[in-house]
């Protein structure tokens, strides 16, 4: 019933629904059926700034966990695809690890847009940031989440910052399980090519 209201109701109806669900979106995003309500709110409310801002505030602080969750990953992909750039960027940095809190006070226009910019603001934390991203990529690959576009971008950004000779040695065999999915996007194809170039004969 709620999903139908979100789909066929007015923006006012969706805002009312969102007000009732406020504080619960992260949990709903991890549930088999309930996450469809979140997807529908994102899809139907993307042109309503009030609704988008409410969804953004509810998801903020939970992206890292949802991005590696078998169901929550769908919500993150939808959010990254439909939210405006300034909101999307503020959510995306959470995937880079807990260090994102260091930049939470920055105005939206100064929030780092990618891993390179993220590291450039705290070069002293580079090793720990890369270790965290690598751990996230392992979780993503092991859970079969390489079907999502944001995972391809994350993997490519990581490969541009890490030491390819040493850091990819144990990551390539894990990523190779999702090669078919990686080839569906430009970033993913570059990840696959890099894996082929730096992997062993067995990996290839």
């Amino acid at each position: 019933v709620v999903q139908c209201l979100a789909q066929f109701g007015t923006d006012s109806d969706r805002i009312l629904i969102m007000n009732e669900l406020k504080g619960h979106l992260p949990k709903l995003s991890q549930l088999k059926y309930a996450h469809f309500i979140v997807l529908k709110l994102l899809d139907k409310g993307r042109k309503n700034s009030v609704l988008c801002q409410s969804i953004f505030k509810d998801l903020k602080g939970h992206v890292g966990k949802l991005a590696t969750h078998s169901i929550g990953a769908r919500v993150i992909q939808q959010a990254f695809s439909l939210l405006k750039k300034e909101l999307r960027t503020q959510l995306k940095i959470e995937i880079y690890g807990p260090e994102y809190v260091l930049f939470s006070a920055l105005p939206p226009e100064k929030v780092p847009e990618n891993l390179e910019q993220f590291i450039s603001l705290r070069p002293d934390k580079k090793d720990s940031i890369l270790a965290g991203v690598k751990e996230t990529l392992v979780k993503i690959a092991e859970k079969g989440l390489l079907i999502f576009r944001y995972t391809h971008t994350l993997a490519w950004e990581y490969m541009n910052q890490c030491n390819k000779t040493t850091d990819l040695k144990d990551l390539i065999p894990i990523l190779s399980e999702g090669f078919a999915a990686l080839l569906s996007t430009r970033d993913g194809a570059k990840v696959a090519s890099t894996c082929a170039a730096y992997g062993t004969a067995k990996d290839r």
Side-chain angles (χ1 to χ4, degrees), residues 66-83:
L66 293 176
T68 57
H69 189 274
S70 58
I71 297 173
R74 299 180 185 181
V75 173
I76 295 306
Q77 180 59 59
Q78 185 90 318
F80 286 175
S81 299
L82 300 180
L83 290 178

PDB file of all heavy atoms in Angstrom, residues 66-83:
ATOM      1  N   LEU A  66      25.641   0.403   3.814  1.00  0.00           N
ATOM      2  CA  LEU A  66      24.672   0.027   2.781  1.00  0.00           C
ATOM      3  C   LEU A  66      25.353  -0.355   1.467  1.00  0.00           C
ATOM      4  O   LEU A  66      24.876  -1.223   0.740  1.00  0.00           O
ATOM      5  CB  LEU A  66      23.690   1.175   2.535  1.00  0.00           C
ATOM      6  CG  LEU A  66      22.744   1.513   3.689  1.00  0.00           C
ATOM      7  CD1 LEU A  66      21.903   2.738   3.349  1.00  0.00           C
ATOM      8  CD2 LEU A  66      21.838   0.323   4.007  1.00  0.00           C
ATOM      9  N   ALA A  67      26.483   0.286   1.177  1.00  0.00           N
ATOM     10  CA  ALA A  67      27.183   0.036  -0.089  1.00  0.00           C
ATOM     11  C   ALA A  67      27.730  -1.379  -0.186  1.00  0.00           C
ATOM     12  O   ALA A  67      28.007  -1.872  -1.286  1.00  0.00           O
ATOM     13  CB  ALA A  67      28.315   1.038  -0.283  1.00  0.00           C
ATOM     14  N   THR A  68      27.901  -2.037   0.963  1.00  0.00           N
ATOM     15  CA  THR A  68      28.420  -3.408   0.959  1.00  0.00           C
ATOM     16  C   THR A  68      27.354  -4.404   1.419  1.00  0.00           C
ATOM     17  O   THR A  68      27.659  -5.545   1.730  1.00  0.00           O
ATOM     18  CB  THR A  68      29.650  -3.533   1.885  1.00  0.00           C
ATOM     19  OG1 THR A  68      29.296  -3.129   3.213  1.00  0.00           O
ATOM     20  CG2 THR A  68      30.792  -2.658   1.384  1.00  0.00           C
ATOM     21  N   HIS A  69      26.116  -3.958   1.442  1.00  0.00           N
ATOM     22  CA  HIS A  69      24.998  -4.819   1.842  1.00  0.00           C
ATOM     23  C   HIS A  69      24.298  -5.346   0.587  1.00  0.00           C
ATOM     24  O   HIS A  69      24.084  -4.601  -0.361  1.00  0.00           O
ATOM     25  CB  HIS A  69      24.008  -4.041   2.705  1.00  0.00           C
ATOM     26  CG  HIS A  69      22.952  -4.890   3.337  1.00  0.00           C
ATOM     27  ND1 HIS A  69      21.781  -5.225   2.683  1.00  0.00           N
ATOM     28  CD2 HIS A  69      22.889  -5.489   4.549  1.00  0.00           C
ATOM     29  CE1 HIS A  69      21.039  -5.976   3.477  1.00  0.00           C
ATOM     30  NE2 HIS A  69      21.687  -6.151   4.618  1.00  0.00           N
ATOM     31  N   SER A  70      23.947  -6.609   0.581  1.00  0.00           N
ATOM     32  CA  SER A  70      23.394  -7.233  -0.628  1.00  0.00           C
ATOM     33  C   SER A  70      22.125  -6.554  -1.126  1.00  0.00           C
ATOM     34  O   SER A  70      21.861  -6.537  -2.336  1.00  0.00           O
ATOM     35  CB  SER A  70      23.110  -8.722  -0.358  1.00  0.00           C
ATOM     36  OG  SER A  70      22.221  -8.872   0.735  1.00  0.00           O
ATOM     37  N   ILE A  71      21.335  -5.982  -0.233  1.00  0.00           N
ATOM     38  CA  ILE A  71      20.110  -5.288  -0.634  1.00  0.00           C
ATOM     39  C   ILE A  71      20.317  -3.774  -0.631  1.00  0.00           C
ATOM     40  O   ILE A  71      19.916  -3.068  -1.552  1.00  0.00           O
ATOM     41  CB  ILE A  71      18.935  -5.665   0.290  1.00  0.00           C
ATOM     42  CG1 ILE A  71      18.637  -7.156   0.176  1.00  0.00           C
ATOM     43  CG2 ILE A  71      17.688  -4.852  -0.057  1.00  0.00           C
ATOM     44  CD1 ILE A  71      17.604  -7.672   1.151  1.00  0.00           C
ATOM     45  N   GLY A  72      20.988  -3.290   0.395  1.00  0.00           N
ATOM     46  CA  GLY A  72      21.230  -1.859   0.508  1.00  0.00           C
ATOM     47  C   GLY A  72      21.992  -1.276  -0.671  1.00  0.00           C
ATOM     48  O   GLY A  72      21.835  -0.100  -1.004  1.00  0.00           O
ATOM     49  N   ALA A  73      22.810  -2.102  -1.326  1.00  0.00           N
ATOM     50  CA  ALA A  73      23.579  -1.634  -2.484  1.00  0.00           C
ATOM     51  C   ALA A  73      22.664  -1.119  -3.597  1.00  0.00           C
ATOM     52  O   ALA A  73      23.027  -0.203  -4.326  1.00  0.00           O
ATOM     53  CB  ALA A  73      24.458  -2.771  -3.016  1.00  0.00           C
ATOM     54  N   ARG A  74      21.482  -1.699  -3.709  1.00  0.00           N
ATOM     55  CA  ARG A  74      20.525  -1.232  -4.731  1.00  0.00           C
ATOM     56  C   ARG A  74      20.082   0.202  -4.447  1.00  0.00           C
ATOM     57  O   ARG A  74      19.948   1.017  -5.361  1.00  0.00           O
ATOM     58  CB  ARG A  74      19.301  -2.142  -4.749  1.00  0.00           C
ATOM     59  CG  ARG A  74      19.587  -3.587  -5.096  1.00  0.00           C
ATOM     60  CD  ARG A  74      18.290  -4.393  -5.086  1.00  0.00           C
ATOM     61  NE  ARG A  74      18.540  -5.815  -5.303  1.00  0.00           N
ATOM     62  CZ  ARG A  74      17.574  -6.731  -5.356  1.00  0.00           C
ATOM     63  NH1 ARG A  74      16.319  -6.365  -5.187  1.00  0.00           N
ATOM     64  NH2 ARG A  74      17.883  -8.004  -5.553  1.00  0.00           N
ATOM     65  N   VAL A  75      19.866   0.492  -3.186  1.00  0.00           N
ATOM     66  CA  VAL A  75      19.450   1.833  -2.786  1.00  0.00           C
ATOM     67  C   VAL A  75      20.576   2.830  -3.038  1.00  0.00           C
ATOM     68  O   VAL A  75      20.340   3.941  -3.533  1.00  0.00           O
ATOM     69  CB  VAL A  75      19.040   1.849  -1.296  1.00  0.00           C
ATOM     70  CG1 VAL A  75      18.768   3.278  -0.825  1.00  0.00           C
ATOM     71  CG2 VAL A  75      17.809   0.968  -1.080  1.00  0.00           C
ATOM     72  N   ILE A  76      21.799   2.438  -2.712  1.00  0.00           N
ATOM     73  CA  ILE A  76      22.945   3.333  -2.928  1.00  0.00           C
ATOM     74  C   ILE A  76      23.125   3.628  -4.418  1.00  0.00           C
ATOM     75  O   ILE A  76      23.372   4.769  -4.807  1.00  0.00           O
ATOM     76  CB  ILE A  76      24.229   2.718  -2.334  1.00  0.00           C
ATOM     77  CG1 ILE A  76      24.104   2.612  -0.805  1.00  0.00           C
ATOM     78  CG2 ILE A  76      25.447   3.557  -2.709  1.00  0.00           C
ATOM     79  CD1 ILE A  76      23.757   3.923  -0.112  1.00  0.00           C
ATOM     80  N   GLN A  77      22.993   2.606  -5.262  1.00  0.00           N
ATOM     81  CA  GLN A  77      23.118   2.823  -6.694  1.00  0.00           C
ATOM     82  C   GLN A  77      22.049   3.800  -7.190  1.00  0.00           C
ATOM     83  O   GLN A  77      22.324   4.691  -7.984  1.00  0.00           O
ATOM     84  CB  GLN A  77      23.000   1.500  -7.451  1.00  0.00           C
ATOM     85  CG  GLN A  77      23.120   1.632  -8.966  1.00  0.00           C
ATOM     86  CD  GLN A  77      24.436   2.243  -9.395  1.00  0.00           C
ATOM     87  OE1 GLN A  77      25.493   1.715  -9.103  1.00  0.00           O
ATOM     88  NE2 GLN A  77      24.387   3.388 -10.078  1.00  0.00           N
ATOM     89  N   GLN A  78      20.832   3.625  -6.692  1.00  0.00           N
ATOM     90  CA  GLN A  78      19.732   4.515  -7.078  1.00  0.00           C
ATOM     91  C   GLN A  78      19.992   5.940  -6.594  1.00  0.00           C
ATOM     92  O   GLN A  78      19.765   6.900  -7.331  1.00  0.00           O
ATOM     93  CB  GLN A  78      18.422   3.992  -6.469  1.00  0.00           C
ATOM     94  CG  GLN A  78      17.172   4.748  -6.879  1.00  0.00           C
ATOM     95  CD  GLN A  78      16.519   4.180  -8.117  1.00  0.00           C
ATOM     96  OE1 GLN A  78      17.203   3.821  -9.075  1.00  0.00           O
ATOM     97  NE2 GLN A  78      15.208   4.084  -8.103  1.00  0.00           N
ATOM     98  N   ALA A  79      20.470   6.067  -5.378  1.00  0.00           N
ATOM     99  CA  ALA A  79      20.754   7.400  -4.827  1.00  0.00           C
ATOM    100  C   ALA A  79      21.850   8.097  -5.631  1.00  0.00           C
ATOM    101  O   ALA A  79      21.738   9.284  -5.960  1.00  0.00           O
ATOM    102  CB  ALA A  79      21.165   7.280  -3.357  1.00  0.00           C
ATOM    103  N   PHE A  80      22.911   7.370  -5.948  1.00  0.00           N
ATOM    104  CA  PHE A  80      24.006   7.947  -6.727  1.00  0.00           C
ATOM    105  C   PHE A  80      23.551   8.323  -8.145  1.00  0.00           C
ATOM    106  O   PHE A  80      24.085   9.248  -8.747  1.00  0.00           O
ATOM    107  CB  PHE A  80      25.171   6.963  -6.816  1.00  0.00           C
ATOM    108  CG  PHE A  80      25.964   6.834  -5.538  1.00  0.00           C
ATOM    109  CD1 PHE A  80      26.986   5.913  -5.432  1.00  0.00           C
ATOM    110  CD2 PHE A  80      25.692   7.630  -4.439  1.00  0.00           C
ATOM    111  CE1 PHE A  80      27.727   5.784  -4.258  1.00  0.00           C
ATOM    112  CE2 PHE A  80      26.418   7.520  -3.260  1.00  0.00           C
ATOM    113  CZ  PHE A  80      27.437   6.589  -3.174  1.00  0.00           C
ATOM    114  N   SER A  81      22.584   7.599  -8.663  1.00  0.00           N
ATOM    115  CA  SER A  81      22.107   7.843 -10.031  1.00  0.00           C
ATOM    116  C   SER A  81      21.125   9.016 -10.099  1.00  0.00           C
ATOM    117  O   SER A  81      21.093   9.738 -11.098  1.00  0.00           O
ATOM    118  CB  SER A  81      21.422   6.594 -10.591  1.00  0.00           C
ATOM    119  OG  SER A  81      22.309   5.515 -10.652  1.00  0.00           O
ATOM    120  N   LEU A  82      20.333   9.215  -9.051  1.00  0.00           N
ATOM    121  CA  LEU A  82      19.226  10.163  -9.135  1.00  0.00           C
ATOM    122  C   LEU A  82      19.395  11.454  -8.341  1.00  0.00           C
ATOM    123  O   LEU A  82      18.814  12.471  -8.706  1.00  0.00           O
ATOM    124  CB  LEU A  82      17.924   9.474  -8.692  1.00  0.00           C
ATOM    125  CG  LEU A  82      17.500   8.246  -9.518  1.00  0.00           C
ATOM    126  CD1 LEU A  82      16.201   7.671  -8.970  1.00  0.00           C
ATOM    127  CD2 LEU A  82      17.338   8.610 -10.987  1.00  0.00           C
ATOM    128  N   LEU A  83      20.164  11.432  -7.262  1.00  0.00           N
ATOM    129  CA  LEU A  83      20.324  12.654  -6.471  1.00  0.00           C
ATOM    130  C   LEU A  83      21.217  13.658  -7.197  1.00  0.00           C
ATOM    131  O   LEU A  83      22.073  13.276  -7.991  1.00  0.00           O
ATOM    132  CB  LEU A  83      20.930  12.332  -5.101  1.00  0.00           C
ATOM    133  CG  LEU A  83      20.032  11.567  -4.123  1.00  0.00           C
ATOM    134  CD1 LEU A  83      20.802  11.282  -2.841  1.00  0.00           C
ATOM    135  CD2 LEU A  83      18.750  12.335  -3.819  1.00  0.00           C
TER     136      LEU A  83
END
